[in-house]
């Protein structure tokens, strides 16, 4: 038998390495729940509607409905406060919209259906009725397909020059890709897979042109790798520093480099913000009701560009404090069942807070629901709890297969 040449040995080595990496990547998926995976794939499609609801909204609502038919696998200690804050907030804003505000019944119904779908997806992720990994991998796959589909002209182009596709809006696109890039870090087990994920999603985020999402993604990564050893006081100080940093960057570098052509866009945004502030100032203390976060500028209708303001105009400061309070409680204050606190949910929540400052719909959307689901999942424990149990999102090397 002739000895292998050096080139053949090298080729075999690379082939073995590639096979090992593919095996490890497949192993990190663990068991895939097909229904959750497929509905996850539909959750980025906002450009097609069924019965007046975007396919993404319908998929989320359907998944929540399926969750009601499944048995919970986990207990989530102290989730009651999160549930109370959100449900009380929704009851308040529904009453406010129907009795005190100016919303129509159609607006109230559409918004509440969508928000309840998001809320129950978060809760069912936490108690195990929805498989988090399957859902994330499904959303990720369709999001990655969206990139070539957009540039090949298969997916719609609503914002020429910036990656939108089935997500329809460049800021929505930025929010989804930034959120997915962070949540994938929680389910991948190998460090180099995580590094590759950060590189890929940074490049995709650049294609969206969403400066807020790019900044939020970067600062979320900083939080993940620096805040682990900080107590709640120093985390608050770090959060204040990040807010100041984002404000500084927006003031001094918003139109630098590749963003130098955004002068007209930023001027329009400032007019929208000014009109939004005037509308908030003129609104009663309880807000105007669901679906009222819009203004008329230059004879056109624009949604608010600030999610905190959206909560205020829809349900007043009561609504804002309840929803933001529930978000902070789930991500930063609830005790995780791990021996070492995971920072991925905290980092993703930092992203939501930063994007909420400059984007109009962040809270109570599906990215928010996914992040809250992960945060609550970290605080869960299996119903068949064992001594010394430590919760892990990434599966062991012995869990493979497909569930339906």
């Amino acid at each position: 038998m002739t000895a292998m040449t050096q080139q053949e040995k090298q080729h075999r080595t690379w082939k073995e390495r590639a096979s090992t990496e593919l095996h490890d990547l497949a192993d990190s998926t663990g068991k895939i729940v097909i229904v959750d995976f497929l509905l996850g794939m539909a959750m980025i499609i906002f450009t097609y509607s069924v019965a007046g609801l975007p396919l993404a909204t319908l998929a989320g609502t359907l998944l929540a409905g399926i969750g009601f038919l499944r048995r919970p696998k986990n207990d989530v200690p102290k989730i009651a406060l999160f549930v109370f804050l959100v449900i009380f907030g929704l009851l308040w804003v529904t009453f406010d919209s129907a009795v005190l505000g100016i919303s129509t019944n159609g607006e109230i119904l559409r918004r509440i259906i969508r928000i309840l779908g998001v809320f129950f997806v978060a809760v069912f992720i936490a108690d195990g009725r929805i498989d988090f990994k399957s859902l994330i991998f499904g959303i990720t796959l369709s999001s990655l397909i969206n990139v070539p589909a957009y540039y090949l002209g298969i997916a719609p182009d609503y914002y020429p020059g910036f990656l939108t596709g089935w997500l329809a809006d460049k800021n929505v696109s930025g929010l989804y890709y930034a959120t997915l890039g962070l949540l994938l870090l929680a389910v991948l087990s190998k460090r180099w897979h995580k590094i590759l994920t950060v590189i890929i999603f940074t490049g995709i985020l650049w294609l969206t042109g969403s400066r807020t999402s790019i900044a939020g993604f970067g600062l979320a990564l900083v939080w993940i790798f620096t805040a682990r050893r900080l107590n709640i006081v120093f985390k608050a100080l770090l959060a204040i520093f990040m807010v100041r940093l984002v404000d500084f960057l927006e003031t001094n570098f918003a139109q630098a480099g590749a963003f130098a052509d955004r002068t007209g866009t930023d001027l329009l945004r400032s007019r929208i913000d000014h009109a939004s502030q005037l509308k908030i100032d003129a609104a009663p203390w309880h807000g105007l009701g669901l679906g009222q976060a819009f203004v008329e500028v230059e004879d056109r209708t624009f949604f608010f560009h600030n999610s905190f303001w959206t909560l205020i105009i829809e349900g007043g400061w009561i609504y804002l404090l309840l929803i933001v309070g529930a978000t902070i409680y789930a991500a930063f204050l609830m005790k995780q069942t791990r021996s070492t606190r995971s920072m991925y949910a905290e980092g993703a929540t930092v992203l939501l807070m930063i994007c909420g400052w400059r984007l109009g719909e962040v809270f109570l959307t599906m990215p928010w629901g996914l992040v809250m689901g992960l945060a609550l999942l970290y605080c869960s424990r299996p119903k068949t709890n064992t001594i010394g149990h430590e919760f892990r999102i990434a599966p062991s090397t012995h869990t493979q297969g497909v569930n339906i």
Side-chain angles (χ1 to χ4, degrees):
M1 181 182 294
T2 58
M4 287 191 297
T5 66
Q6 187 66 26
Q7 185 176 4
E8 288 173 332
K9 289 181 179 179
Q10 189 176 23
H11 175 73
R12 182 174 179 178
T13 300
W14 280 107
K15 186 176 180 180
E16 290 173 349
R17 287 180 181 176
S19 176
T20 300
E21 291 300 333
L22 288 174
H23 173 79
D24 290 343
L25 184 60
D27 180 65
S28 14
T29 64
K31 295 180 179 180
I32 294 297
V33 181
I34 294 298
V35 171
D36 299 6
F37 180 85
L38 293 177
L39 287 175
M41 289 191 66
M43 282 186 188
I44 72 156
I45 304 177
F46 288 92
T47 54
Y48 300 99
S49 297
V50 177
L53 291 173
L55 187 58
T57 301
L58 192 63
T61 305
L62 180 58
L63 182 59
I66 291 173
F68 277 103
L69 304 177
R70 297 171 175 172
R71 292 182 178 181
K73 300 177 181 178
N74 305 325
D75 289 319
V76 190
K78 300 182 180 179
I79 193 178
L81 180 56
F82 172 81
V83 172
F84 170 79
L85 291 173
V86 176
I87 291 297
F88 186 76
L90 296 182
L91 289 174
W92 160 252
V93 80
T94 302
F95 169 79
D96 177 44
S97 302
V99 179
L100 305 176
I102 59 175
S103 303
T104 65
N105 291 335
E107 288 172 329
I108 297 171
L109 185 61
R110 282 193 300 271
R111 291 274 289 171
I112 289 299
I113 288 175
R114 181 178 67 78
I115 293 172
L116 283 175
V118 169
F119 169 72
F120 282 114
V121 165
V123 172
F124 291 159
I125 286 173
D127 70 13
R129 284 186 261 195
I130 293 175
D131 186 71
F132 181 74
K133 294 190 304 295
S134 301
L135 182 59
I136 290 300
F137 285 132
I139 300 173
T140 300
L141 178 59
S142 58
S143 297
L144 293 176
I145 293 173
N146 183 58
V147 179
Y150 169 77
Y151 288 103
L152 291 173
I154 299 172
D157 182 7
Y158 291 104
Y159 209 112
F162 298 102
L163 174 60
T164 53
W166 293 308
L167 287 159
D169 179 87
K170 77 179 187 71
N171 288 320
V172 173
S173 181
L175 175 62
Y176 268 75
Y177 281 112
T179 304
L180 287 173
L182 295 173
L183 295 183
L184 277 172
L185 300 181
V187 298
L188 296 174
S189 54
K190 295 192 71 173
R191 177 178 296 181
W192 111 254
H193 291 164
K194 296 182 180 186
I195 293 173
L196 183 61
T197 296
V198 170
I199 294 171
I200 290 173
F201 277 83
T202 298
I204 294 176
L205 273 172
W206 187 264
L207 297 177
T208 69
S210 176
R211 292 167 293 180
T212 302
S213 298
I214 294 170
F217 186 71
L219 290 175
L221 291 174
V222 171
W223 184 279
I224 289 170
F225 294 111
T226 62
R228 183 184 303 277
R229 296 177 178 86
L230 301 180
N231 61 29
I232 192 66
V233 174
F234 284 100
K235 284 182 178 180
L237 293 174
L238 178 59
I240 293 172
F241 169 75
M242 287 184 170
V243 169
R244 296 293 186 186
L245 179 61
V246 171
D247 184 58
F248 173 79
L249 293 174
E250 184 178 89
T251 302
N252 296 277
F253 298 101
Q255 297 169 11
F259 304 110
D261 61 345
R262 300 288 186 91
T263 304
T265 303
D266 288 346
L267 181 59
L268 176 60
R269 179 181 287 244
S270 67
R271 290 175 179 170
I272 295 171
D273 286 345
H274 179 67
S276 301
Q277 186 66 68
L278 291 177
K279 186 170 184 176
I280 290 174
D281 292 342
W285 64 269
H286 52 75
L288 298 175
L290 291 166
Q292 300 306 309
F294 65 89
V295 290
E296 301 289 336
V297 176
E298 298 176 356
D299 297 324
R300 289 187 292 170
T301 301
F302 296 93
F303 292 109
F304 279 20
H305 281 48
N306 185 311
S307 290
F308 298 94
W309 289 359
T310 295
L311 294 175
I312 293 173
I313 198 65
E314 290 190 334
W317 281 91
I318 294 175
Y319 191 41
L320 172 74
L321 293 174
L322 289 169
I323 299 305
V324 175
T327 303
I328 293 173
Y329 173 71
F332 299 104
L333 301 180
M334 285 184 69
K335 184 178 180 179
Q336 295 183 0
T337 53
R338 299 166 56 97
S339 58
T340 302
R341 188 171 182 87
S342 175
M343 304 305 295
Y344 295 119
E346 287 193 11
T349 305
V350 168
L351 167 73
L352 295 179
M353 294 294 184
I354 292 172
C355 289
W357 189 21
R358 298 307 302 149
L359 305 182
E361 274 202 299
V362 174
F363 299 111
L364 303 174
T365 62
M366 191 53 71
W368 177 89
L370 295 173
V371 174
M372 291 298 98
L374 177 62
L376 296 168
L377 184 58
Y378 277 134
C379 302
S380 70
R381 58 173 178 245
K383 283 187 171 294
T384 54
N385 197 27
T386 57
I387 298 174
H389 164 75
E390 178 175 310
F391 176 77
R392 295 180 61 191
I393 294 252
S396 71
T397 56
H398 302 291
T399 54
Q400 294 182 6
V402 177
N403 285 347
I404 296 180

